[in-house]
Amino acid sequence: MSFKVVEPAPARLNRSELSVPGSSVKLFEKAAKSEADVIFLDLEDAVAPDDKPQARKNIIQAINEIDWGAKTLSVRINGLDTHFMYRDVIEVLEAAGDRLDLIMIPKVGTAADVYAVDMLVTQIERAKGRRKRIGFELIIETALGMQNIAEIAAASPRNESLHFGVADYAASTKAKTTNIGGPNPLYGVLTDKLDAAARRDFFWGDMWHYAISRLVVTARANGLRAVDGPFGDFKDPDGYNAQANRAAALGCEGKWAIHPSQLALGNAVFSPTEAEVTQARRIIAAMRDAEASGQGAAALDGKLIDYASIRQAEVIVGMAEQIAARAG
Ligand code: GLV
Ligand code: MG
């Protein structure tokens, strides 16, 4: 380990994160009763410009009056390039009670963007005597944000998570797609001729691999959660699962849900299975035995395990304990 200690953000389950438009009041109660780990009430892209003042009012009332249970509650404000953002922060934080946990900042481009919102939030918290410190969720969804991601991730002690906003990222990088998330038939490799019949195979690749990998590494290097963004085709659960699984394999601990039907999928993908937890506990136990007999490595089921295996296994057991604590 480095001499530098990376402090983790406050522990929260973030397997599924439901987006709810601030203008759609009829969806609020249902969202509150859903199985989402995190809900963000949206003031940004799901709300038309003329509806934003009313959406702020709806959100304030909902934060203060609805029973959100044990869920983490967030509000997505508008970007710093709009004239909506300052009122989003001031109106919501001045009038909403301490039930609010997080603010989600979209299209973060530089560390100074985070600094600016931090300054505003800090002043309001002090002036209003807010007791709970608001944390930040940051959406990385522009070329500028991806270029500056390391400075952004370190820009405020309020930072809790980095989110991959795949739709805006595609727009910002001018990627040739109009899908929200998901694979792209243009992105793949064609094999050389495989046999005498000159058969060739085309394998689809994951055009988001670099962006998500970079986001995961940067998040973890700063003690933050890494969360994969939206998958637009809510009638395709298999497609959602495939995208969520590959994000989990890279180190994300959750994914957005743009429709309630995606919540159960996200919760399942980002929860370790019983078999995985049992295996992780076996690894830890086997290594403790090895250690007691003076060994730094051991064989389990015919495979080498060592101290790195303990750290891998502890990630799985830690997640299982967090889920059990929520359920209990
Ligand atoms: C989310 O905000 C996205 O742009 O994908
Ligand atoms: Mg976006």
mmCIF file of all heavy atoms in Angstrom, residues 204-229:
data_model
loop_
_atom_site.group_PDB
_atom_site.id
_atom_site.type_symbol
_atom_site.label_atom_id
_atom_site.label_comp_id
_atom_site.label_asym_id
_atom_site.label_seq_id
_atom_site.Cartn_x
_atom_site.Cartn_y
_atom_site.Cartn_z
ATOM 1 N N TRP A 204 -18.685 -7.961 -31.447
ATOM 2 C CA TRP A 204 -19.014 -6.635 -30.911
ATOM 3 C C TRP A 204 -18.092 -6.338 -29.723
ATOM 4 O O TRP A 204 -17.812 -7.209 -28.902
ATOM 5 C CB TRP A 204 -20.458 -6.591 -30.407
ATOM 6 C CG TRP A 204 -21.493 -6.682 -31.481
ATOM 7 C CD1 TRP A 204 -21.423 -7.403 -32.634
ATOM 8 C CD2 TRP A 204 -22.760 -6.039 -31.482
ATOM 9 N NE1 TRP A 204 -22.575 -7.244 -33.354
ATOM 10 C CE2 TRP A 204 -23.425 -6.415 -32.666
ATOM 11 C CE3 TRP A 204 -23.417 -5.191 -30.595
ATOM 12 C CZ2 TRP A 204 -24.694 -5.952 -32.988
ATOM 13 C CZ3 TRP A 204 -24.687 -4.745 -30.905
ATOM 14 C CH2 TRP A 204 -25.314 -5.116 -32.104
ATOM 15 N N GLY A 205 -17.655 -5.098 -29.622
ATOM 16 C CA GLY A 205 -16.877 -4.675 -28.459
ATOM 17 C C GLY A 205 -17.729 -3.751 -27.590
ATOM 18 O O GLY A 205 -18.869 -3.445 -27.931
ATOM 19 N N ASP A 206 -17.161 -3.326 -26.471
ATOM 20 C CA ASP A 206 -17.867 -2.403 -25.583
ATOM 21 C C ASP A 206 -17.244 -1.022 -25.733
ATOM 22 O O ASP A 206 -16.160 -0.763 -25.213
ATOM 23 C CB ASP A 206 -17.768 -2.888 -24.135
ATOM 24 C CG ASP A 206 -18.484 -1.951 -23.175
ATOM 25 O OD1 ASP A 206 -19.162 -1.006 -23.650
ATOM 26 O OD2 ASP A 206 -18.362 -2.143 -21.957
ATOM 27 N N MET A 207 -17.939 -0.142 -26.463
ATOM 28 C CA MET A 207 -17.341 1.168 -26.749
ATOM 29 C C MET A 207 -17.208 2.043 -25.496
ATOM 30 O O MET A 207 -16.536 3.069 -25.533
ATOM 31 C CB MET A 207 -18.130 1.909 -27.831
ATOM 32 C CG MET A 207 -19.494 2.353 -27.403
ATOM 33 S SD MET A 207 -20.387 3.154 -28.762
ATOM 34 C CE MET A 207 -19.696 4.799 -28.740
ATOM 35 N N TRP A 208 -17.826 1.640 -24.376
ATOM 36 C CA TRP A 208 -17.755 2.450 -23.145
ATOM 37 C C TRP A 208 -16.679 1.954 -22.193
ATOM 38 O O TRP A 208 -16.540 2.469 -21.083
ATOM 39 C CB TRP A 208 -19.116 2.443 -22.434
ATOM 40 C CG TRP A 208 -20.254 2.713 -23.361
ATOM 41 C CD1 TRP A 208 -21.271 1.864 -23.687
ATOM 42 C CD2 TRP A 208 -20.482 3.907 -24.123
ATOM 43 N NE1 TRP A 208 -22.119 2.448 -24.593
ATOM 44 C CE2 TRP A 208 -21.657 3.698 -24.879
ATOM 45 C CE3 TRP A 208 -19.806 5.121 -24.236
ATOM 46 C CZ2 TRP A 208 -22.167 4.667 -25.731
ATOM 47 C CZ3 TRP A 208 -20.316 6.082 -25.089
ATOM 48 C CH2 TRP A 208 -21.476 5.843 -25.825
ATOM 49 N N HIS A 209 -15.927 0.955 -22.620
ATOM 50 C CA HIS A 209 -14.978 0.310 -21.705
ATOM 51 C C HIS A 209 -13.961 1.304 -21.131
ATOM 52 O O HIS A 209 -13.722 1.342 -19.927
ATOM 53 C CB HIS A 209 -14.253 -0.832 -22.420
ATOM 54 C CG HIS A 209 -13.231 -1.503 -21.572
ATOM 55 N ND1 HIS A 209 -13.541 -2.516 -20.704
ATOM 56 C CD2 HIS A 209 -11.917 -1.264 -21.397
ATOM 57 C CE1 HIS A 209 -12.458 -2.880 -20.055
ATOM 58 N NE2 HIS A 209 -11.459 -2.139 -20.458
ATOM 59 N N TYR A 210 -13.378 2.094 -22.002
ATOM 60 C CA TYR A 210 -12.342 3.031 -21.533
ATOM 61 C C TYR A 210 -12.926 4.010 -20.524
ATOM 62 O O TYR A 210 -12.364 4.238 -19.451
ATOM 63 C CB TYR A 210 -11.738 3.794 -22.721
ATOM 64 C CG TYR A 210 -10.995 5.037 -22.325
ATOM 65 C CD1 TYR A 210 -9.708 4.946 -21.789
ATOM 66 C CD2 TYR A 210 -11.576 6.304 -22.449
ATOM 67 C CE1 TYR A 210 -9.026 6.099 -21.394
ATOM 68 C CE2 TYR A 210 -10.904 7.443 -22.066
ATOM 69 C CZ TYR A 210 -9.633 7.337 -21.546
ATOM 70 O OH TYR A 210 -8.966 8.467 -21.152
ATOM 71 N N ALA A 211 -14.080 4.575 -20.860
ATOM 72 C CA ALA A 211 -14.668 5.606 -19.991
ATOM 73 C C ALA A 211 -15.001 5.026 -18.613
ATOM 74 O O ALA A 211 -14.685 5.627 -17.578
ATOM 75 C CB ALA A 211 -15.915 6.183 -20.651
ATOM 76 N N ILE A 212 -15.623 3.863 -18.606
ATOM 77 C CA ILE A 212 -16.020 3.287 -17.305
ATOM 78 C C ILE A 212 -14.789 2.860 -16.511
ATOM 79 O O ILE A 212 -14.703 3.097 -15.302
ATOM 80 C CB ILE A 212 -17.002 2.120 -17.508
ATOM 81 C CG1 ILE A 212 -18.294 2.652 -18.131
ATOM 82 C CG2 ILE A 212 -17.325 1.428 -16.183
ATOM 83 C CD1 ILE A 212 -19.343 1.606 -18.423
ATOM 84 N N SER A 213 -13.815 2.258 -17.189
ATOM 85 C CA SER A 213 -12.594 1.848 -16.475
ATOM 86 C C SER A 213 -11.909 3.060 -15.852
ATOM 87 O O SER A 213 -11.487 3.030 -14.691
ATOM 88 C CB SER A 213 -11.600 1.177 -17.420
ATOM 89 O OG SER A 213 -12.157 0.034 -17.966
ATOM 90 N N ARG A 214 -11.814 4.116 -16.636
ATOM 91 C CA ARG A 214 -11.128 5.307 -16.110
ATOM 92 C C ARG A 214 -11.905 5.897 -14.937
ATOM 93 O O ARG A 214 -11.323 6.337 -13.942
ATOM 94 C CB ARG A 214 -10.974 6.340 -17.237
ATOM 95 C CG ARG A 214 -10.181 7.536 -16.807
ATOM 96 C CD ARG A 214 -9.736 8.370 -17.971
ATOM 97 N NE ARG A 214 -9.097 9.590 -17.481
ATOM 98 C CZ ARG A 214 -8.791 10.623 -18.234
ATOM 99 N NH1 ARG A 214 -9.036 10.583 -19.535
ATOM 100 N NH2 ARG A 214 -8.225 11.686 -17.719
ATOM 101 N N LEU A 215 -13.223 5.902 -15.049
ATOM 102 C CA LEU A 215 -14.058 6.436 -13.972
ATOM 103 C C LEU A 215 -13.910 5.583 -12.703
ATOM 104 O O LEU A 215 -13.793 6.113 -11.594
ATOM 105 C CB LEU A 215 -15.502 6.504 -14.451
ATOM 106 C CG LEU A 215 -16.526 7.070 -13.471
ATOM 107 C CD1 LEU A 215 -17.549 7.949 -14.200
ATOM 108 C CD2 LEU A 215 -17.274 5.979 -12.719
ATOM 109 N N VAL A 216 -13.890 4.260 -12.871
ATOM 110 C CA VAL A 216 -13.765 3.372 -11.706
ATOM 111 C C VAL A 216 -12.429 3.613 -10.997
ATOM 112 O O VAL A 216 -12.373 3.774 -9.776
ATOM 113 C CB VAL A 216 -13.888 1.889 -12.129
ATOM 114 C CG1 VAL A 216 -13.439 0.967 -10.994
ATOM 115 C CG2 VAL A 216 -15.315 1.553 -12.541
ATOM 116 N N VAL A 217 -11.363 3.650 -11.779
ATOM 117 C CA VAL A 217 -10.029 3.820 -11.179
ATOM 118 C C VAL A 217 -9.959 5.151 -10.429
ATOM 119 O O VAL A 217 -9.474 5.228 -9.294
ATOM 120 C CB VAL A 217 -8.941 3.741 -12.275
ATOM 121 C CG1 VAL A 217 -7.592 4.183 -11.733
ATOM 122 C CG2 VAL A 217 -8.858 2.328 -12.830
ATOM 123 N N THR A 218 -10.476 6.200 -11.054
ATOM 124 C CA THR A 218 -10.399 7.522 -10.428
ATOM 125 C C THR A 218 -11.266 7.573 -9.176
ATOM 126 O O THR A 218 -10.871 8.138 -8.153
ATOM 127 C CB THR A 218 -10.854 8.615 -11.421
ATOM 128 O OG1 THR A 218 -10.201 8.389 -12.655
ATOM 129 C CG2 THR A 218 -10.523 9.988 -10.902
ATOM 130 N N ALA A 219 -12.445 6.995 -9.267
ATOM 131 C CA ALA A 219 -13.315 6.979 -8.086
ATOM 132 C C ALA A 219 -12.620 6.256 -6.934
ATOM 133 O O ALA A 219 -12.512 6.779 -5.821
ATOM 134 C CB ALA A 219 -14.644 6.291 -8.423
ATOM 135 N N ARG A 220 -12.125 5.066 -7.203
ATOM 136 C CA ARG A 220 -11.519 4.272 -6.125
ATOM 137 C C ARG A 220 -10.262 4.931 -5.567
ATOM 138 O O ARG A 220 -9.989 4.841 -4.363
ATOM 139 C CB ARG A 220 -11.201 2.865 -6.627
ATOM 140 C CG ARG A 220 -12.418 2.060 -7.077
ATOM 141 C CD ARG A 220 -13.511 2.052 -6.045
ATOM 142 N NE ARG A 220 -14.605 1.152 -6.411
ATOM 143 C CZ ARG A 220 -15.765 1.111 -5.790
ATOM 144 N NH1 ARG A 220 -16.017 1.926 -4.783
ATOM 145 N NH2 ARG A 220 -16.687 0.269 -6.173
ATOM 146 N N ALA A 221 -9.490 5.578 -6.433
ATOM 147 C CA ALA A 221 -8.266 6.251 -5.960
ATOM 148 C C ALA A 221 -8.598 7.401 -5.021
ATOM 149 O O ALA A 221 -7.736 7.881 -4.286
ATOM 150 C CB ALA A 221 -7.449 6.755 -7.150
ATOM 151 N N ASN A 222 -9.852 7.846 -5.055
ATOM 152 C CA ASN A 222 -10.276 8.947 -4.192
ATOM 153 C C ASN A 222 -11.297 8.519 -3.145
ATOM 154 O O ASN A 222 -11.939 9.359 -2.516
ATOM 155 C CB ASN A 222 -10.836 10.087 -5.055
ATOM 156 C CG ASN A 222 -9.736 10.788 -5.836
ATOM 157 O OD1 ASN A 222 -9.093 11.694 -5.326
ATOM 158 N ND2 ASN A 222 -9.481 10.337 -7.046
ATOM 159 N N GLY A 223 -11.467 7.213 -2.978
ATOM 160 C CA GLY A 223 -12.384 6.694 -1.952
ATOM 161 C C GLY A 223 -13.850 6.851 -2.304
ATOM 162 O O GLY A 223 -14.707 6.819 -1.420
ATOM 163 N N LEU A 224 -14.172 7.031 -3.583
ATOM 164 C CA LEU A 224 -15.564 7.296 -3.984
ATOM 165 C C LEU A 224 -16.200 6.044 -4.583
ATOM 166 O O LEU A 224 -15.514 5.146 -5.072
ATOM 167 C CB LEU A 224 -15.611 8.421 -5.026
ATOM 168 C CG LEU A 224 -14.826 9.700 -4.696
ATOM 169 C CD1 LEU A 224 -15.011 10.727 -5.815
ATOM 170 C CD2 LEU A 224 -15.248 10.291 -3.363
ATOM 171 N N ARG A 225 -17.530 6.017 -4.581
ATOM 172 C CA ARG A 225 -18.254 4.948 -5.278
ATOM 173 C C ARG A 225 -18.254 5.230 -6.775
ATOM 174 O O ARG A 225 -18.339 6.389 -7.185
ATOM 175 C CB ARG A 225 -19.720 4.872 -4.795
ATOM 176 C CG ARG A 225 -19.893 4.548 -3.331
ATOM 177 C CD ARG A 225 -21.373 4.388 -2.969
ATOM 178 N NE ARG A 225 -22.124 5.630 -3.081
ATOM 179 C CZ ARG A 225 -22.139 6.583 -2.152
ATOM 180 N NH1 ARG A 225 -21.449 6.430 -1.030
ATOM 181 N NH2 ARG A 225 -22.852 7.685 -2.327
ATOM 182 N N ALA A 226 -18.197 4.155 -7.564
ATOM 183 C CA ALA A 226 -18.301 4.278 -9.018
ATOM 184 C C ALA A 226 -19.651 3.702 -9.423
ATOM 185 O O ALA A 226 -19.985 2.576 -9.045
ATOM 186 C CB ALA A 226 -17.180 3.505 -9.695
ATOM 187 N N VAL A 227 -20.424 4.485 -10.170
ATOM 188 C CA VAL A 227 -21.793 4.060 -10.505
ATOM 189 C C VAL A 227 -22.005 4.226 -12.016
ATOM 190 O O VAL A 227 -21.716 5.293 -12.576
ATOM 191 C CB VAL A 227 -22.829 4.901 -9.722
ATOM 192 C CG1 VAL A 227 -24.250 4.449 -10.054
ATOM 193 C CG2 VAL A 227 -22.577 4.786 -8.212
ATOM 194 N N ASP A 228 -22.505 3.162 -12.645
ATOM 195 C CA ASP A 228 -22.781 3.215 -14.078
ATOM 196 C C ASP A 228 -24.134 3.900 -14.310
ATOM 197 O O ASP A 228 -25.056 3.752 -13.509
ATOM 198 C CB ASP A 228 -22.789 1.782 -14.639
ATOM 199 C CG ASP A 228 -22.804 1.769 -16.155
ATOM 200 O OD1 ASP A 228 -22.377 2.767 -16.769
ATOM 201 O OD2 ASP A 228 -23.241 0.757 -16.736
ATOM 202 N N GLY A 229 -24.241 4.621 -15.415
ATOM 203 C CA GLY A 229 -25.413 5.451 -15.673
ATOM 204 C C GLY A 229 -26.568 4.708 -16.327
ATOM 205 O O GLY A 229 -26.777 3.509 -16.109
#
